[in-house]
Amino acid sequence: MSVVVIDYNAGNTRSVYYALRRYGVDAIFTKDPEQIRAASKVIFPGVGEASTTMGFVREQGLNEIIPSLTQPVLGICLGMQLMCAWSAEGDTECLGIFDAKVKRFQPSEGQKVPHMGWNTIYNLDANLFPPDLEHKYVYFVHSYYVEMSAFTAATTNYCLPFSAAMHRDNFYGTQFHPEKSGSVGGQILQHFLNLP
Amino acid sequence: MLAKRIIPCLDVKEGRTVKGINFLELRDAGDPVELGKLYSEQGADELVFLDITATKEKRKTLAKLADDVARHLSIPFTIGGGIGSIGDVDTLLDHGADKVSVNSSAVRTPGLIDDLSYRFGSQCIVVAIDAKQVDDSWIVHVAGGSIPTDLELFAWAREVQERGAGEILFTSMDHDGTKSGFAIEALREMSDQLDIPIIASGGAGTKEHFREVFTEAKADAGLAASIFHFHEIPIPELKQFLKERDIQIR
């Protein structure tokens, strides 16, 4: 199995790489379109600001390549947000794989922004999640969230219910960091790696 | 609901973890990566690695430690100790650290906090504050707690937040190593004044101390070292205790 982690100047991606190594996968870091197309699984990470990062995506021509992929693709954190239609962060046009919007959390009493730490996921889509992970804790760090939509594959409550994960055809996304979510995150990553 | 976090702190000196009583007597408690893995398996929510010798010896990077930890652990971790520049932070984040903490360097050059949060995002910038009570006020200390400053704790904490810190790690030097409980009053005051998460440190000796710090002091996370290193309070037992008292715990 060849796993590509898309390398496009998107912040801390080393932890994703090391996590894959812990599950016996030596991932390839690349932005080369041929290598990306040839991979059996593609991971699209992202940390940072949406408009800047989307700029890197366009510079590399990845805005054409990513939506055309047919193998399983997993966007993580900002990666998942960039797979949506539009982000309020920098009023950014995104990849449009998931027809949903990215909005900013409005801080309220006792609800600090960013949403940072361990929170629970529920209503899990069996395509992305192995059994028995309902209401388990995973690790989040984000100030913007994806609204609930037909593509929501897991829900988390913080200020309001939002999309903790998404799924459409061969495209998957997690707002949380599976690579930082202990054994629960490990199970989710392994399940993705084992997708047909 | 967002869980309250339990954070073991691993003070590192020359590649080994140590924990001082009031920072002065150091005792060896093992290999940082092995210890970190054990804590992760036991349910620690995050780890903090602090190179306690860094400020005095001006050691610049803990890049290798960051890399070793990122390789073997699947929970978030913070690295601190002698971090004084954008370049230091860039190196640590690039080597897999999720967050970095700055302390003395932020006191010397407060603008560093603005620069770091602008460049890397608030979420990965923790400002550590060590303070002790002098007469009636809490005074910030630097260089491992050895040098007093003219900064008052709450004013400095507010400034740190305004400059873009993502979290504050507050250590009460009066409580550190005493096992008599966290600085509840000061922490509550800080929680009331700030909007960013607060990690409480210094004084944990019993499970009840953690309940107090989460409910009465409204801290977001509780940090401790020796009680974990010397198996005085096993993390699974602590988490069970807190869950039974209706505190949101992973």
Side-chain angles (χ1 to χ4, degrees):
Chain A
M1 177 172 56
S2 64
V3 177
V4 156
V5 177
I6 301 180
D7 178 16
Y8 66 108
N9 205 1
N12 182 359
T13 47
R14 189 178 294 238
S15 46
V16 174
Y17 174 76
Y18 285 150
L20 295 170
R21 279 252 296 248
R22 288 195 292 273
Y23 305 113
V25 173
D26 211 356
I28 304 161
F29 259 111
T30 186
K31 57 192 170 204
D32 175 62
E34 289 317 305
Q35 276 187 301
I36 295 173
R37 284 205 186 89
S40 53
K41 303 285 182 321
V42 175
I43 293 181
F44 178 44
V47 177
E49 196 274 331
S51 63
T52 314
T53 312
M54 198 55 211
F56 294 137
V57 168
R58 288 206 184 85
E59 258 170 46
Q60 306 296 339
L62 294 166
N63 54 322
E64 300 291 330
I65 294 156
I66 295 170
S68 71
L69 294 173
T70 54
Q71 66 274 57
V73 178
L74 177 66
I76 297 176
C77 195
L78 181 63
M80 177 180 104
Q81 295 186 358
L82 296 184
M83 288 160 81
C84 294
W86 174 83
S87 173
E89 191 177 19
D91 187 12
T92 305
E93 189 84 22
C94 300
L95 295 172
I97 293 167
F98 303 124
D99 186 14
K101 286 180 182 156
V102 184
K103 301 174 176 175
R104 194 173 205 284
F105 283 122
Q106 298 306 320
S108 57
E109 181 59 34
Q111 310 264 282
K112 295 165 180 176
V113 177
H115 173 222
M116 177 162 62
W118 297 83
N119 207 334
T120 51
I121 46 175
Y122 63 94
N123 286 347
L124 307 183
D125 177 342
N127 288 293
L128 177 58
F129 294 93
D132 303 324
L133 295 187
E134 283 285 336
H135 301 290
K136 296 286 189 197
Y137 281 95
V138 290
Y139 187 76
F140 291 89
V141 185
H142 60 127
S143 298
Y144 290 78
Y145 68 92
V146 179
E147 62 184 0
M148 296 294 291
S149 78
F151 308 107
T152 300
T155 307
T156 291
N157 293 353
Y158 191 72
C159 301
L160 74 179
F162 69 90
S163 297
M166 304 185 82
H167 170 224
R168 198 202 98 196
D169 306 327
N170 58 312
F171 293 99
Y172 302 84
T174 60
Q175 178 62 62
F176 56 88
H177 288 270
E179 77 280 12
K180 287 287 166 186
S181 296
S183 64
V184 170
Q187 288 176 58
I188 296 165
L189 275 181
Q190 280 179 297
H191 187 266
F192 172 77
L193 294 171
N194 290 330
L195 285 172
Chain B
M1 227 173 103
L2 196 60
K4 299 287 190 182
R5 291 169 281 157
I6 301 293
I7 308 179
C9 178
L10 292 82
D11 288 354
V12 180
K13 187 183 182 187
E14 284 147 23
R16 304 279 295 173
T17 50
V18 288
K19 176 62 188 174
I21 303 298
N22 285 332
F23 290 115
L24 294 175
E25 290 173 26
L26 303 178
R27 288 158 76 186
D28 193 339
D31 169 45
V33 175
E34 286 306 306
L35 197 55
K37 263 171 89 170
L38 178 72
Y39 288 140
S40 169
E41 284 157 17
Q42 288 181 346
D45 297 303
E46 247 176 81
L47 295 169
V48 170
F49 295 88
L50 281 182
D51 191 323
I52 55 168
T53 60
T55 305
K56 280 179 183 159
E57 296 174 6
K58 305 289 177 201
R59 184 160 18 164
K60 281 296 183 188
T61 78
L62 289 163
K64 185 180 178 300
L65 178 66
D67 193 80
D68 286 345
V69 176
R71 234 174 245 274
H72 295 104
L73 267 80
S74 56
I75 58 169
F77 66 98
T78 302
I79 290 206
I83 295 167
S85 71
I86 287 182
D88 292 346
V89 173
D90 196 22
T91 303
L92 288 174
L93 295 177
D94 189 50
H95 282 77
D98 298 285
K99 308 177 198 178
V100 292
S101 81
V102 291
N103 188 337
S104 304
S105 57
V107 171
R108 267 197 309 274
T109 318
L112 179 67
I113 303 167
D114 306 66
D115 293 347
L116 292 175
S117 66
Y118 177 76
R119 170 84 183 260
F120 304 105
S122 287
Q123 81 288 342
C124 59
I125 307 303
V126 181
V127 175
I129 305 178
D130 298 335
K132 68 170 133 191
Q133 272 186 299
V134 178
D135 301 323
D136 277 342
S137 48
W138 283 89
I139 299 299
V140 176
H141 285 59
V142 292
S146 58
I147 303 173
T149 68
D150 53 8
L151 294 169
E152 190 270 330
L153 171 64
F154 303 109
W156 175 234
R158 286 194 305 273
E159 179 176 345
V160 154
Q161 168 175 296
E162 277 159 29
R163 289 181 179 277
E167 266 182 321
I168 287 178
L169 195 182
F170 165 52
T171 302
S172 162
M173 297 171 57
D174 294 326
H175 295 75
D176 198 58
T178 64
K179 297 186 182 172
S180 60
F182 292 95
I184 299 293
E185 293 296 321
L187 282 159
R188 187 193 295 129
E189 181 70 37
M190 204 181 279
S191 300
D192 287 342
Q193 294 194 20
L194 299 184
D195 298 319
I196 57 177
I198 295 164
I199 304 169
S201 159
T206 67
K207 290 176 276 193
E208 177 61 18
H209 292 154
F210 283 90
R211 190 199 62 76
E212 282 170 11
V213 86
F214 292 139
T215 55
E216 290 163 34
K218 296 182 272 184
D220 298 275
L223 178 143
S226 53
I227 55 160
F228 298 137
H229 302 335
F230 299 104
H231 315 293
E232 289 162 29
I233 301 181
I235 292 172
E237 204 180 296
L238 171 60
K239 292 187 115 178
Q240 189 56 37
F241 173 90
L242 295 169
K243 276 181 200 169
E244 284 164 6
R245 279 148 190 83
D246 290 329
I247 293 168
Q248 206 72 32
I249 289 287
R250 177 171 71 108

